[in-house]
Amino acid sequence: MTPDRQVIGRNLVVQGTALKPRPPRRAWPMPTRTGLTLRVILHPGQTPAPYFAAAQAMEHAWRVHGVRVRSPRRGQVLITVTAADPLTGRTPVPKLLRPELLTALVGRTEEGEPWVISLRKIPHWLITGATQSGKSSLLAALVKELAPQPVALVGIDCKGGMELGLFGGRLSALAIDRREAVGLLTGVVAEIQFRMGVCRAAGKRSIWHLPEDIRPVPLVVIVDELAELYLTDGSRESKEEAEQCGTLLLRVAQLGAALGVHLVVAGQRVGSDIGARVTALRAQLGGRVAHRSHDEASAEMTLGDINPDAVVTAQSITEDEQGVAVVAMSGQWVRARSHLITAADAAEISGTEPPANPFLIQSDAAEFTKGGGTA
């Protein structure tokens, strides 16, 4: 048979032209702080799939720390090569030239860039991970960056305030059990409703459209160990408290963004097994951070609806990589590590004065006091 013919079966002959792969076009490699990037321009009919599949092979062939393959737009592939692990903390992190309100530099990404959490861009965040994986360190780094800003911080830490209590002097309110959490969240929802009235009276859709002299102080609600708000002992009172917490948290997440009320939630698990409204709450939290987890399900709950590759990467985080996490937002993800906050840093944060009278209204269900505590 000639090269352009092939026998299939006993009497069937298929004739055609052999396919000749056409190599895509490549731009010049561009050096970065930690390696280089290479952009590939695909021809019509070509897909990024072979490059995704070859990422690990490229790491071994080039003997580098990591190769990340992305397709930022149709017809293009961006290959990012990281020569050495930038998350070891051996090189300084670039500082933000002009820190904006509600923006926090909390660590470094695997590409050597600053890891910035902006509550103006993504108003609500979910942070998950096993015990001693770095959740509390990230919360501390976030509080440290927000402390000097004209931002009110309130905390819910149902482990007796062992974590968030370190920053009590900077917090405008702190709830240390579920009963207090119900009161605090009731007051936050009342504040949201009052701010709605202010915006409605001014004919504005957001507090950010109000003049600065009448704009309410931004409010960040930080919740440590979410599961403690949902778990019950089976009693009627306990079930009612858990249901109240779930409802109030969901209302804060649904209504707060345009009114300057932001939610940062941390916990080991965020599945429906801990509460009926957890899945609905998770859907409202656009920023996701997954530290090391004990099982695939925990990583899947945090990142599965954003990118399956991010789930696999989160599962590869080892116990030696405390503080390392996969950060996902706006459909993209990256590995990053938060800053370590020392006891001296915590003492400095606690000594920072919170904004005066950040709440426009005081709810009967909770009294907000400087340094934390509700009654």
Side-chain angles (χ1 to χ4, degrees):
M1 300 296 292
T2 57
D4 62 338
R5 299 188 182 190
Q6 178 68 44
V7 177
I8 301 179
R10 178 177 297 179
N11 300 317
L12 180 62
V13 177
V14 177
Q15 180 177 356
T17 303
L19 294 176
K20 297 181 179 179
R22 185 182 178 190
R25 293 181 292 131
R26 293 174 299 175
W28 284 101
M30 299 295 295
T32 64
R33 189 177 290 107
T34 58
L36 58 86
T37 59
L38 176 65
R39 191 175 298 273
V40 179
I41 310 300
L42 303 177
H43 295 298
Q46 296 177 335
T47 68
Y51 294 90
F52 287 113
Q56 190 172 14
M58 287 187 278
E59 291 178 1
H60 290 280
W62 297 340
R63 291 179 173 82
V64 294
H65 170 71
V67 173
R68 175 89 179 276
V69 178
R70 294 184 291 128
S71 181
R73 57 178 57 90
R74 299 291 185 183
Q76 291 190 14
V77 174
L78 184 64
I79 302 174
T80 303
V81 180
T82 305
D85 188 359
L87 302 182
T88 57
R90 296 171 184 170
T91 56
V93 179
K95 298 294 183 181
L96 295 179
L97 296 179
R98 294 181 179 180
E100 298 179 356
L101 183 65
L102 291 171
T103 298
L105 172 59
V106 296
R108 174 203 305 276
T109 71
E110 65 178 347
E111 298 172 355
E113 299 298 325
W115 174 13
V116 178
I117 290 180
S118 174
L119 297 176
R120 287 292 304 274
K121 294 180 180 179
I122 302 179
H124 307 309
W125 285 76
L126 171 64
I127 303 169
T128 64
T131 302
Q132 296 185 341
S133 63
K135 299 190 306 297
S136 297
S137 296
L138 176 55
L139 290 178
L142 178 64
V143 172
K144 181 177 184 296
E145 290 294 306
L146 294 178
Q149 301 181 24
V151 174
L153 303 175
V154 298
I156 298 176
D157 182 359
C158 291
K159 295 185 300 183
M162 293 177 58
E163 297 292 345
L164 298 182
L166 298 176
F167 318 116
R170 177 58 178 85
L171 301 181
S172 298
L174 175 64
I176 62 174
D177 58 37
R178 189 164 56 196
R179 181 188 63 81
E180 293 184 354
V182 171
L184 192 154
L185 289 172
T186 300
V188 172
V189 171
E191 174 70 14
I192 289 175
Q193 293 172 337
F194 192 84
R195 294 185 181 198
M196 285 181 181
V198 173
C199 291
R200 185 169 58 251
K204 305 298 182 181
R205 299 177 60 185
S206 166
I207 68 163
W208 305 110
H209 299 153
L210 295 172
E212 289 190 15
D213 57 336
I214 63 171
R215 182 185 302 159
V217 174
L219 175 64
V220 181
V221 181
I222 302 174
V223 181
D224 195 14
E225 291 302 341
L226 177 68
E228 294 294 328
L229 297 179
Y230 289 88
L231 298 179
T232 70
D233 58 11
S235 66
R236 180 178 177 180
E237 181 181 2
S238 179
K239 291 180 179 179
E240 289 179 351
E241 282 185 351
E243 186 175 350
Q244 280 184 294
C245 283
T247 301
L248 292 168
L249 278 173
L250 186 56
R251 294 196 69 188
V252 172
Q254 289 176 331
L255 304 175
L259 301 165
V261 180
H262 306 271
L263 190 59
V264 179
V265 176
Q268 295 189 38
R269 291 180 60 81
V270 287
S272 58
D273 55 321
I274 67 172
R277 291 177 173 80
V278 172
T279 302
L281 175 64
R282 182 178 62 202
Q284 299 291 329
L285 308 177
R288 309 287 181 85
V289 181
H291 294 83
R292 174 180 54 83
S293 60
H294 292 309
D295 55 358
E296 180 182 357
S298 297
E300 179 70 30
M301 290 172 189
T302 310
L303 304 170
D305 57 342
I306 295 181
N307 193 302
D309 294 334
V311 177
V312 176
T313 303
Q315 289 181 267
S316 67
I317 299 174
T318 66
E319 294 185 0
D320 296 330
E321 297 178 297
Q322 187 174 9
V324 174
V326 174
V327 185
M329 52 186 176
S330 304
Q332 299 182 354
W333 62 273
V334 67
R335 288 176 79 245
R337 186 174 224 151
S338 58
H339 292 150
L340 178 63
I341 303 302
T342 65
D345 294 329
E348 181 181 351
I349 296 169
S350 185
T352 306
E353 287 291 328
N357 303 319
F359 292 88
L360 301 181
I361 186 173
Q362 298 289 336
S363 170
D364 293 338
E367 289 185 8
F368 296 92
T369 60
K370 178 183 177 300
T374 59

